[in-house]
Amino acid sequence: MDAATRPRPVRLRADATRNRERIVTAAREAIVELGPDVALDEIARRAGVGNATLYRHFTDRADLVRQVTLSVVARTVKRAEDALAEEPDAFAALRRFVLEAAQERIGALCPLLTDVFDRQDPAVVGQVERMERSISAIVVRAQRAGQLRTDIAVGDVMVAVTQLTRPLPGVCCAGFDRFVHRHLQLFLDGLRAPAHSALEGNAATLKELQAGMS
């Protein structure tokens, strides 16, 4: 192979990577906006690729949903790790993570993710465990600093983020974010120590939440 032809495979691989990333991003946005039954044709259109390109990367809906799941969890992990590393104040790190995690719209994705992807998939399990460790580090740090009530755990944080990012039935997603941030702020105020009330039951872990979804 001469020098003139060597760069071409690299460019093609880069194009394929970009197409795959566009499809995953478009799938996430389409699911949030239109719901779990959004047509794959619509996802391809939003990604700016043909149907054939979509199916070259993802064999079926379940394969695409798996990648959306991994992408959302990985982005959530990074938000947690960045908040922990960059915020000197423990509660500020928690607040930053909660508000940024809400942007992933996990609640809107839950119906599809629960029904379609295999939660025993090793890659998914590994990412979820990493997410639990990273959020736990934020929670424990704030509790040790005396800024966060001690009767909550990671699951309690994720329940709020999940529920508050799930649009109400019959409500369009457009303009919904302003309500999400308002109510997340109320939630964060309720997490501050000292607590003004006693919570019923035990602090929730991610494993308990996953068991309840089974």
Side-chain angles (χ1 to χ4, degrees):
M1 184 180 292
D2 59 39
T5 60
R6 286 175 188 165
R8 183 171 178 77
V10 175
R11 185 171 65 252
L12 289 175
R13 286 195 294 270
D15 288 345
T17 298
R18 284 193 294 271
N19 283 340
R20 185 178 179 87
E21 291 172 351
R22 282 200 295 266
I23 293 167
V24 171
T25 298
R28 173 186 168 276
E29 293 174 352
I31 292 167
V32 167
E33 183 180 340
L34 301 175
D37 296 324
V38 59
L40 296 182
D41 290 355
E42 173 63 14
I43 293 173
R45 185 190 68 77
R46 289 175 177 235
V49 301
N51 290 355
T53 298
L54 187 150
Y55 283 107
R56 270 200 303 274
H57 288 282
F58 304 101
T59 56
D60 54 24
R61 179 182 293 270
D63 187 22
L64 177 55
V65 168
R66 176 183 182 274
Q67 193 55 48
V68 171
T69 302
L70 291 171
S71 174
V72 169
V73 176
R75 286 159 57 104
T76 303
V77 168
K78 187 176 189 309
R79 290 182 185 279
E81 292 176 344
D82 288 350
L84 188 66
E86 297 171 7
E87 295 293 338
D89 180 80
F91 200 88
L94 176 64
R95 182 180 186 278
R96 170 175 162 176
F97 167 71
V98 166
L99 295 179
E100 290 188 353
Q103 297 175 24
E104 298 301 331
R105 303 302 292 273
I106 296 174
L109 294 169
C110 272
L112 182 61
L113 304 185
T114 300
D115 294 339
V116 178
F117 83 90
D118 178 9
R119 281 178 285 137
Q120 302 306 314
D121 183 321
V124 175
V125 170
Q127 284 281 41
V128 171
E129 289 176 349
R130 184 181 171 198
M131 181 173 69
E132 183 167 19
R133 288 194 299 271
S134 62
I135 303 171
S136 290
I138 294 176
V139 168
V140 170
R141 179 188 174 201
Q143 288 172 331
R144 288 177 176 171
Q147 296 177 303
L148 177 66
R149 57 190 304 161
T150 58
D151 55 354
I152 66 104
V154 174
D156 297 299
V157 174
M158 295 311 293
V159 163
V161 173
T162 299
Q163 294 301 319
L164 289 173
T165 55
R166 180 179 297 181
L168 297 173
V171 176
C172 178
C173 286
F176 188 71
D177 286 347
R178 69 180 186 274
F179 299 109
V180 171
H181 280 244
R182 177 180 175 86
H183 287 88
L184 281 175
Q185 186 59 57
L186 289 171
F187 166 69
L188 287 164
D189 286 348
L191 292 182
R192 285 189 178 274
H196 296 292
S197 63
L199 294 177
E200 296 182 6
N202 300 319
T205 66
L206 278 186
K207 288 183 177 60
E208 288 173 326
L209 295 184
Q210 290 174 310
M213 292 167 62
S214 300

